Amino acid sequence: MIDRIINFAIANRWLVMAGVAAFAVFGYFEYQRLPIDAVPDITNVQVQINTQASGYSPLEAEQRVTFLVETAMAGLPQLESTRSISAYGLSQVTVVFQDGTDIYFARQLVNERLQDVKAQLPPGVEPGMGPVSTGLGEIYLYSVVAEPGARKPDGTAYTPTDLRSIQDWIIRPQLRQVPGVSEVNSIGGNAKQYQVAPDPARLLAFGVTLGDLVRALEANNVNVGAGYIETNGEQKLVRVPGQI
C-alpha cells in the first residue's frame, strides 16, 4: 500500500504539490479564524468565594468562615465538588460544577446561598465571588512607568504612589470597559493612604480612648450638604467638603 502511494506521488508530482499548496493555503486561512488560543482554557466550571477576615488566624478563618461557607454550598444542582483554603486573614472556597454547566447559572446558585450564610458570619466579614475567569485567563501583563525626565504639573517627579494612582483611577477603569475583559489586577506601587499614629501616653493624659479617636476620624471624613442660598433668582449651593 505504501509503495503504491509513493509511486502515485512520484508519477503525479505536480498534482501532489498542488494539493500540498492548497492545504497550506486552507490552513493559513483557518488559522486566521481560529477561535481559541494555542493553550486553551482547560479549567473546569468553578466559582471562587473569597472572604477577607482581617486578624483571623488560619484556624479561626476555617472554623468561623470557611466551614460555614463550604457547608452552605452543599447540595447545589450540578455540583461536583468543593475545596477550600484558610490562611491568615483570608478564606477561599472553590465550588466546582459539572462540565457543561453555564457559568452564570452557577454563579447565580452560589450567590443565593451566600445571601443565606451572611447572617451566620462574624460582623464585618463579607464574602464575595471572584471574577468570571480562571488562572489561565490572564492574557496580558503591563507596567506603568514614567518617561525619563517626566514631571507632574507642579514640577516634581512621579513617585510609585503617583503611578499606582494613575493605574487605579485612570487606566484600570478604561481597561474594564474593553469587551472580554473581566478583571484587571494591580500589583506593586504604593497605594495612597493616610495614616494616624496615636501616642497612647498622650491619649491617656487627655482621657481619650482609641475608640474615641476612630469615631472622630470617621465623623471627620465626610462631605456635608448644607442646602442653598437663593439670591436674585439664583441658587448658590452650600457644601462642606471634608472627605479625605
Side-chain angles (χ1 to χ4, degrees):
M1 182 65 180
I2 296 179
D3 293 339
R4 294 176 58 186
I5 295 176
I6 294 175
N7 292 333
F8 176 82
I10 294 175
N12 302 274
R13 59 179 64 89
W14 293 110
L15 179 61
V16 173
M17 292 179 64
V20 171
F23 272 110
V25 172
F26 176 75
Y28 178 78
F29 176 75
E30 290 297 319
Y31 161 75
Q32 300 294 328
R33 303 172 59 245
L34 198 63
I36 61 175
D37 198 356
V39 183
D41 191 349
I42 58 175
T43 309
N44 46 26
V45 181
Q46 60 177 239
V47 180
Q48 281 193 343
I49 306 170
N50 300 314
T51 307
Q52 294 285 346
S54 300
Y56 282 34
S57 67
L59 178 60
E60 292 173 329
E62 173 70 27
Q63 292 177 338
R64 305 182 63 182
V65 181
T66 304
F67 175 77
L68 296 175
V69 174
E70 195 167 4
T71 302
M73 297 300 122
L76 285 174
Q78 303 181 33
L79 177 67
E80 185 171 290
S81 64
T82 58
R83 63 177 184 269
S84 63
I85 298 175
S86 298
Y88 179 77
L90 175 66
S91 167
Q92 183 180 83
V93 177
T94 302
V95 186
V96 181
F97 290 85
Q98 298 174 3
D99 289 340
T101 304
D102 182 75
I103 183 61
Y104 296 102
F105 171 70
R107 292 175 67 88
Q108 176 64 29
L109 294 176
V110 171
N111 184 60
E112 291 175 357
R113 294 294 179 91
L114 283 181
Q115 301 306 316
D116 296 334
V117 78
K118 282 182 179 179
Q120 306 175 35
L121 297 177
V125 175
E126 188 75 16
M129 291 185 294
V132 190
S133 63
T134 65
L136 295 177
E138 185 176 282
I139 61 173
Y140 188 71
L141 296 174
Y142 64 91
S143 300
V144 180
V145 297
E147 295 183 356
R151 298 285 177 176
K152 293 189 295 184
D154 59 3
T156 59
Y158 284 94
T159 65
T161 302
D162 298 326
L163 298 179
R164 178 61 183 266
S165 298
I166 293 174
Q167 157 65 17
D168 290 340
W169 297 100
I170 299 177
I171 301 176
R172 186 171 182 266
Q174 296 184 46
L175 285 179
R176 294 204 62 174
Q177 298 180 22
V178 177
V181 175
S182 62
E183 184 69 17
V184 179
N185 298 317
S186 301
I187 304 174
N190 298 327
K192 190 174 184 179
Q193 60 181 228
Y194 296 90
Q195 295 185 348
V196 177
D199 186 340
R202 298 191 66 181
L203 289 178
L204 183 61
F206 287 99
V208 180
T209 65
L210 286 176
D212 296 334
L213 180 60
V214 171
R215 285 189 290 271
L217 291 172
E218 291 176 345
N220 188 58
N221 182 30
V222 63
N223 290 347
V224 178
Y228 61 91
I229 299 176
E230 187 170 349
T231 305
N232 298 326
E234 295 181 350
Q235 289 183 349
K236 296 182 180 179
L237 299 179
V238 180
R239 52 189 297 268
V240 182
Q243 192 166 22
I244 298 177

